[in-house]
Amino acid sequence: MIEKIAQILCELISIESISANSNLDIIAYIERILASSGVSSRRVPSPAGCKASLLATIGPVDRPGVVLSAHTDVVPVEGQAWTVPPFAGVIRDERVYGRGATDMKGFLAVVLASVPRLKDAATAAPVHLAFSYDEEVGCRGAPDLVRALMQSVVPPALAIVGEPTTMRVVRAHKGKVARRLTVTGRTGHSAMPHRAANAVDAGVAIAHTLRAFADEEVARGGDAAFDPPYTTIHVGSLHGGSMVNLVPERAALEYEIRTMPGRDAGEILARIDEVVARERDRLRANAPEADIVSEELSAYPGLDTAADAAVTRLVARMAGDTQPATTVAFGTEAGLYAEAGIPTLVCGPGDMARGHKADEWIGFDELAAANVMMDRLADLLRRPSEEWIRVS
């Protein structure tokens, strides 16, 4: 079985599904694998139609089942010192190397290799395969995918998002909002700044306030289960100006907020909007045409499944994880499934410490461990979900 998984993984890696490009080639490949086992699927297209998520249900659609979630996109490789071709799928010393091997085509390959046995097993409960686009650039494809899932089936009893967690069960992570502020002022000679409106000054003032808000969140504290154990506010970039003797008329600032479970991102954003409005008014005192435009880059909710929930114990048994469920620093699509009312955990093969890096790899042993989880899932699907959730 591991040879089949490795072959599928190498073929997935060979499809360059970088987020900046269309993912329709990898979607077509997945469709062919599903069709070869007699499983039908449907696309959930992006607004422009150049990308798509894929949704397939194996088993009875009128009963609660399990969602297996993965994303099809990967991050770029430019500027990284790879020693193997990043889009070839190289097998060496019982490891598969290539972009996405860990994040997260390894889990996707395990699921696709398991389709025949899942089809045979899914007699009392279904399994839903939900594969998204553009997760790496802000979980952009998942909202429509989750919506399509919930409109087409009985609400699932469980969702497993197969991000690389070394097969540890992850019950919680932070939410995220990222925005870009584009500041337009008025240029002029630096000897007469009172006749201009300095866009960089406005950007710096906003960044300074964001730093103060970040310090407030540190003081507020949070949950020691997270690292760091508080909501973070981070300025990622601030650009503007061209010459020292010219008042800059444009600047751009990008920031993100990563919220602890229970912390209202809307409250923080409202305070930031007030700061932006004050800086806009200050610029317009000299230049009525000045403006600050806010653009959302990405947003997804956090995950906060209880450590002692029945589904948490169930996934731990499936994964062979004997340690207490944990948290991770990175975000996933799991919060979107949980927000839709589906109890959700994150668990998958590979280590995120290898993700997004040169010579990304996943071991045969890690793929085999995920394959065992699929065996245990197949056993569950022969019984109604109410039965295996109740005894967890």
Side-chain angles (χ1 to χ4, degrees), residues 271-317:
R271 295 180 66 197
I272 294 172
D273 288 343
E274 290 176 1
V275 174
V276 170
R278 287 199 300 270
E279 285 303 311
R280 183 186 292 113
D281 290 344
R282 188 181 64 80
L283 289 170
R284 286 178 174 173
N286 274 10
E289 73 275 18
D291 201 2
I292 305 177
V293 176
S294 180
E295 173 192 359
E296 185 172 275
L297 301 177
S298 63
Y300 55 78
L303 176 69
D304 191 19
T305 302
D308 60 352
V311 291
T312 306
R313 298 193 299 271
L314 174 65
V315 175
R317 288 205 308 276

Side-chain angles (χ1 to χ4, degrees), residues 196-235:
N198 192 316
V200 169
D201 275 356
V204 168
I206 294 169
H208 181 72
T209 305
L210 289 174
R211 175 68 266 174
F213 289 173
D215 290 341
E216 290 177 12
E217 295 300 324
V218 174
R220 175 190 289 265
D223 185 343
F226 290 84
D227 182 19
Y230 46 79
T231 292
T232 59
I233 303 173
H234 159 75
V235 175

Side-chain angles (χ1 to χ4, degrees), residues 40-388:
S40 61
S41 58
R42 67 183 179 104
R43 297 187 182 191
V44 182
S46 66
C50 59
K51 299 182 181 183
S53 298
L54 196 68
L55 183 59
T57 293
I58 302 172
V61 298
D62 59 345
R63 302 179 190 177
V66 177
V67 182
L68 298 178
S69 165
H71 61 81
T72 61
D73 60 316
V74 297
V75 298
V77 299
E78 284 76 19
Q80 296 183 339
W82 285 74
T83 64
V84 297
F87 296 107
V90 175
I91 297 177
R92 180 187 300 164
D93 299 327
E94 296 194 336
R95 295 177 177 179
V96 180
Y97 289 83
R99 172 56 82 227
T102 278
D103 184 18
M104 60 178 301
K105 291 181 176 180
F107 179 75
L108 183 54
V110 171
V111 171
L112 292 176
S114 302
V115 166
R117 87 189 104 143
L118 294 175
K119 184 181 179 184
D120 289 342
T123 55
V127 58
H128 309 289
L129 310 183
F131 305 140
S132 68
Y133 66 88
D134 280 5
E135 187 273 348
E136 295 289 5
V137 288
C139 300
R140 294 176 182 172
D144 286 346
L145 177 61
V146 174
R147 192 175 303 113
L149 171 70
M150 297 301 287
Q151 291 172 349
S152 60
V153 301
V154 169
L158 168 66
I160 300 173
V161 178
E163 292 279 6
T165 65
T166 64
M167 296 304 293
R168 293 293 318 281
V169 175
V170 169
R171 64 170 187 84
H173 64 69
K174 297 178 182 181
K176 176 183 172 181
V177 178
R179 287 183 174 181
R180 176 186 296 121
L181 300 178
T182 301
V183 186
T184 305
R186 178 191 289 174
T187 191
H189 197 290
S190 63
M192 294 176 284
H194 62 296
R195 298 182 181 178
N198 192 316
V200 169
D201 275 356
V204 168
I206 294 169
H208 181 72
T209 305
L210 289 174
R211 175 68 266 174
F213 289 173
D215 290 341
E216 290 177 12
E217 295 300 324
V218 174
R220 175 190 289 265
D223 185 343
F226 290 84
D227 182 19
Y230 46 79
T231 292
T232 59
I233 303 173
H234 159 75
V235 175
S237 67
L238 175 57
H239 303 282
S242 58
M243 299 176 64
V244 71
N245 62 348
L246 193 66
V247 176
E249 65 178 341
R250 286 184 63 83
L253 180 151
E254 294 180 341
Y255 70 90
E256 70 167 29
I257 306 167
R258 292 184 182 260
T259 49
M260 295 286 292
R263 183 69 173 104
D264 183 8
E267 176 191 332
I268 301 171
L269 290 169
R271 295 180 66 197
I272 294 172
D273 288 343
E274 290 176 1
V275 174
V276 170
R278 287 199 300 270
E279 285 303 311
R280 183 186 292 113
D281 290 344
R282 188 181 64 80
L283 289 170
R284 286 178 174 173
N286 274 10
E289 73 275 18
D291 201 2
I292 305 177
V293 176
S294 180
E295 173 192 359
E296 185 172 275
L297 301 177
S298 63
Y300 55 78
L303 176 69
D304 191 19
T305 302
D308 60 352
V311 291
T312 306
R313 298 193 299 271
L314 174 65
V315 175
R317 288 205 308 276
M318 291 170 60
D321 184 6
T322 59
Q323 302 179 62
T326 188
T327 69
V328 290
F330 58 87
T332 77
E333 295 171 337
L336 292 160
Y337 288 96
E339 193 174 61
I342 307 171
T344 304
L345 284 307
V346 183
C347 183
D351 189 338
M352 190 60 87
R354 302 181 216 128
H356 299 196
K357 296 182 179 179
D359 291 350
E360 180 180 348
W361 61 271
I362 194 167
F364 279 19
D365 57 336
E366 296 171 299
L367 297 172
N371 185 56
V372 171
M373 184 169 73
M374 292 299 108
D375 282 335
R376 291 169 178 158
L377 172 60
D379 289 339
L380 292 179
L381 298 177
R382 296 184 174 93
R383 296 179 285 141
S385 62
E386 298 86 352
E387 184 179 325
W388 31 269

Side-chain angles (χ1 to χ4, degrees), residues 4-25:
K4 180 180 179 181
I5 295 172
Q7 177 187 348
I8 292 174
L9 176 52
C10 289
E11 291 170 353
L12 289 168
I13 290 170
S14 71
I15 304 172
E16 297 185 28
S17 55
I18 297 169
S19 304
N21 304 331
S22 171
N23 76 327
L24 296 184
D25 286 346

